[in-house]
Each structure stands twice: as structure tokens, then as C-alpha cells.
Amino acid sequence: MKARRGRAAVLLAAFVVLASACTRADPTSNLSPDPPTHPQPVDASLFETTTPIKHVVFLIKENRSFDNLFGRFPGANGNTVGDDHGVLRPLTRATLLPTHDLPHAYPDALTDIDGGKMDGFDHGASAAEYAYTQFRPNQIPSYWAWAKHFVLADDFFASATGSSFPNHLFSIAAQSGGALDNPEQPIDNVTAIEQAGFAKSWGCDISPGGFVSVLDSEGNLVKVPPCFDFTTEGDLLSQAGIPWGYYAATNQQDGYIWSAYSAIGRYRNDPTLWAEHVHPVDNLVSDIRDGLLPPVTWVTPTHALSEHPEHNFCKGENWSTRVIDAIMKSPMWKDTAIFLTWDDWGGFYDHVPPVHLDDFGLGIRVPLLVISPYALHGVVDHQQGEFSSVLGFIEANWNLSTLTARDAGSGDLSAAFDFTQPPRPPDLQPATACPSAG
């Protein structure tokens, strides 16, 4: 498998804005529950690949920097002390219990990075208490075990300098449509939608008045509805006849904001395409057990299981363990590559300044675990990567074209594998007892 590297600026594809979703007088008028769906059974071995990998699972959790999770990992480029405007602060023991969310919008990232000094994470209040914290190995036993037994990448970055919305778009398209940060919308309209039993949306069914600021080709910020029509990795797979799926919270569940295909108009506004490719994440484990996962699968969790700071981290890790254990127990384990990462740094300290590739990133460093029967054993991968690198692996494995300069030049993570080794057995991890407040 060839490596595709470089630092060319990302090419902004032309986007089509579907404004109808943002002009409704009644914020609940066009809403209806998404019906539960499952993928159609398919034999992934029938599709030609350049490696023994026949299944890729791209699992994206929320809001953790590398130093926050793996700064103490042996052999990794981690720190146990943080820089606070020139004052060194020990990274104190993180809590598994819910905490306050930390500032992590695009301007906050610029403040944290501070021109490469990586010393601006103390924004006051809750940031002062939680930004300079770090998990110990016994707090994250499954993640630590898989880092020891498979591959941990310590030079892996969020694709975008901003927060969740642009990064989740990069995870499916190697671009964000020009979005630098999360969409904004009137709080009253969001409240009306939530009271009607539907979740907040950042995509094509955003509440009336919602918009996202995008950087256009001339470098100007323009407010547009967050409903785009650029080419995604799913389109490349479909053009090649390769089935794929995206598991996410439904439009009635908290966490729907991370359902990236809800921001791609031709999918969100076509019930047939939506039902074919987008599935409730609550069905994921049973679909794995039933052998229904297609060759390529993206996964984002519900909010409560995402490891976002407002939720119990232990419960989020236990959920990841259930998913990965289910894959390991299934027949698909023998030819699967799992890429587990976090969508942005979430405001937590990290000491490595990101490389400036273009106007959108790279963002602050996040962990990546590569888990596969063909993954190297106990290796820390020091090669630079980002979310587009996972797309690069998919493209190289199924002989697809590329989307943007990002996936064409970000590398394809093939160095994390040894395809000449005998497939390794599963490495199942137990669930852990989670602490509760009081």
C-alpha cells in the first residue's frame, strides 16, 4: 500500500446550500422521527482489497487531547506537566465523573495554541480546574490495554482547529465545506424542538435561523445554513459499488449533532439514501453480532456515552469496550481494522503544537488507537496523521480516488500494520465498575 504524504493546502469544493431547512416559521413543522434501520447483509470478502482488511470501523469519541488520555504512556511523546503562560503545572489526576465543559471553539484553540507556545489553556473558572488534568492508567483500563497490545499514534491531530462540527465533516469528506466552528442557532427555536421530543441539529434540519460561518475561496467569512453538497468518502465507496454505513444518534437522541451526514443535503433530504446508509447507534452491537456491518462503517455515540466532559467517562469507555469486544467476538474480527479516536481536544492540555497545513488545521493533538489482527503489537506510531489519514487508508485499501489535498497528502496509516503476520487473536477487555457522584 503506498503512502500518500504532503502538506498541500486543502481544496475547498463548491458547496450547495439547502436553505429550506432554515426558513420554517414553525421550528417543529417538518420534523418526524427517523425510522430504525439496519444495513442489508453483505459478504465483505467479495470486494477486492489491497490488504487482508475487509472491514474498517472508524469510531469517533469526544473531546480529549493526547496528553489528557495518554500523556503517561511509556514511549509516547507525552507530558505530565503543563505550561500555563510560562508557569509549569503538574497535570493532576483527572476525574471519571462528569465535569464542566471546557472552552473549545475555534478562538479558544487559537488561545490555547498561542502561536505554538501551547500555554493558553487556562481560560479561568472550570478551565483552571480541569484543563490541566490527566488520566492514570488504572482509570482507563481498556484504552490503556489496547494501546499496549496494538498501536497508539502519538502524532495524530484533529483535522480542524475548531470544534466538533468541522472535524466530523473532515472524518467523512477530508474537508469541512469551509466551516471553522460549530453552527449557531436561536435558543428559543432549539428549546421548541427539544420540547417536541427532537434533538438539537447542526445539519440540514437545523432550527430556523441557524447558520454556520464558512471561509469562502476569497478568505471571507460568510454565514450559510449548514447543509452542504460536497463529495464524501461514502460517495467514493458507492461509486465503486462498496457498501458503507454511518451509525449515530437519531434525531430524537442527544448526540444527533455529531451525525455528520445530517449536514449533507442529498443524504439528509432523501429518505431512501438516509435509510440505506445512516443507522441508529443503539443498533450497533446487535448489528455486529448479526454480521450486518458493511465493509466501511463510521460510528459516533450518543451524548451520554461520548466521554464529553459533562458525562461519566467510565461509562463511555465501557460502551467503547462493548462495541470493540463485540467485533472481536464476531467472525468479522479476522479481517477488521478499527480506528478509534476523539473528535477534538475539548479544551484539555496538550504540549505538541499542531502543524499549520492550511486555514482549517491541523487542530490540537488527539489520540488514535489502531486495533486489528494485523496491527503491530505494542507500538507507538510517531508518524503524523489526522482524520483524513483514515480516509486515506480506506481509499488505498479499496483502490478509490481521493477527495481533497488532505486525504491525498495525509498518509494512510499503513505503517501501523504488518500484513505478513498471522492474524492475532482477540484481546477482550472487561467492563469496569464506574464511580458515581455520591
Side-chain angles (χ1 to χ4, degrees):
M1 182 185 298
K2 65 179 181 179
R4 294 164 293 171
R5 300 193 177 277
R7 293 184 178 178
V10 68
L11 300 176
L12 279 179
F15 54 81
V16 176
V17 175
L18 302 176
S20 62
C22 298
T23 57
R24 301 190 301 271
D26 177 2
T28 65
S29 61
N30 288 352
L31 293 176
S32 60
D34 288 328
T37 59
H38 302 269
Q40 293 298 310
V42 61
D43 184 354
S45 67
L46 298 176
F47 302 96
E48 183 177 351
T49 54
T50 60
T51 78
I53 298 300
K54 299 296 183 179
H55 291 93
V56 164
V57 178
F58 191 3
L59 173 55
I60 306 168
K61 304 301 292 283
E62 290 295 312
N63 288 43
R64 300 289 164 172
S65 71
F66 186 91
D67 279 339
N68 178 248
L69 285 185
F70 291 106
R72 293 176 173 267
F73 194 84
N77 181 13
N79 262 20
T80 59
V81 175
D83 189 340
D84 185 356
H85 296 96
V87 177
L88 296 183
R89 298 177 53 174
L91 298 183
T92 58
R93 186 181 179 90
T95 177
L96 294 168
L97 296 173
T99 67
H100 295 288
D101 196 13
L102 300 178
H104 60 283
Y106 177 79
D108 303 313
L110 299 181
T111 298
D112 292 356
I113 295 168
D114 193 15
K117 297 178 183 177
M118 305 303 288
D119 65 358
F121 293 79
D122 183 354
H123 296 257
S126 60
E129 183 177 358
Y130 297 115
Y132 290 84
T133 61
Q134 184 174 74
F135 286 99
R136 285 11 181 197
N138 63 351
Q139 293 180 285
I140 50 173
S142 290
Y143 293 155
W144 202 267
W146 285 324
K148 287 175 63 178
H149 301 158
F150 295 98
V151 175
L152 172 67
D154 70 348
D155 202 32
F156 191 83
F157 298 82
S159 294
T161 307
S163 47
S164 290
F165 184 71
N167 277 301
H168 280 274
L169 289 176
F170 264 98
S171 77
I172 64 168
Q175 66 155 305
S176 66
L180 293 173
D181 223 327
N182 293 337
E184 300 179 39
Q185 51 198 314
I187 187 62
D188 289 345
N189 288 341
V190 174
T191 300
I193 286 174
E194 291 175 341
Q195 289 176 344
F198 295 91
K200 179 180 179 181
S201 172
W202 281 346
C204 298
D205 45 357
I206 196 169
S207 64
F211 67 88
V212 65
S213 295
V214 303
L215 193 66
D216 68 15
S217 59
E218 297 179 354
N220 301 312
L221 276 178
V222 182
K223 296 178 180 179
V224 302
C227 194
F228 304 102
D229 201 32
F230 45 74
T231 303
T232 72
E233 194 78 354
D235 296 306
L236 299 185
L237 290 162
S238 293
Q239 290 164 14
I242 299 164
W244 60 276
Y246 191 99
Y247 282 83
T250 71
N251 67 344
Q252 295 179 288
Q253 292 179 300
D254 198 9
Y256 179 59
I257 52 176
W258 302 316
S259 184
Y261 273 93
S262 74
I264 307 300
R266 65 185 173 282
Y267 288 96
R268 186 63 188 121
N269 298 310
D270 184 331
T272 301
L273 271 182
W274 185 260
E276 179 181 355
H277 294 292
V278 182
H279 311 293
V281 72
D282 287 349
N283 293 348
L284 176 62
V285 171
S286 62
D287 283 356
I288 293 169
R289 292 170 179 163
D290 292 340
L292 297 181
L293 258 60
V296 179
T297 305
W298 284 260
V299 178
T300 62
T302 60
H303 211 289
L305 299 172
S306 69
E307 294 153 26
H308 214 271
E310 304 97 322
H311 301 288
N312 188 305
F313 188 97
C314 175
K315 293 180 180 179
E317 186 190 29
N318 277 345
W319 179 81
S320 300
T321 302
R322 282 186 65 220
V323 170
I324 295 171
D325 279 359
I327 293 172
M328 289 182 170
K329 292 176 182 177
S330 75
M332 69 179 283
W333 166 249
K334 67 182 183 299
D335 56 24
T336 292
I338 302 168
F339 297 95
L340 168 61
T341 191
W342 286 257
D343 75 332
D344 62 60
W345 87 113
F348 292 98
Y349 180 78
D350 195 80
H351 78 280
V352 176
V355 174
H356 182 75
L357 288 185
D358 50 50
D359 290 333
F360 302 93
L362 296 174
I364 293 174
R365 193 173 59 146
V366 295
L368 173 74
L369 291 171
V370 182
I371 303 170
S372 170
Y374 292 98
L376 298 174
H377 185 277
V379 170
V380 178
D381 185 351
H382 303 299
Q383 297 186 81
Q384 183 179 300
E386 48 130 330
F387 302 147
S388 304
S389 304
V390 180
L391 304 187
F393 181 90
I394 294 168
E395 290 155 5
N397 195 53
W398 279 277
N399 278 313
L400 308 177
S401 60
T402 58
L403 292 160
T404 72
R406 283 294 195 91
D407 55 325
S410 64
D412 59 20
L413 301 171
S414 58
F417 299 88
D418 178 0
F419 295 115
T420 67
Q421 71 184 18
R424 294 168 52 195
D427 183 12
L428 300 173
Q429 296 299 317
T432 58
C434 295
S436 58

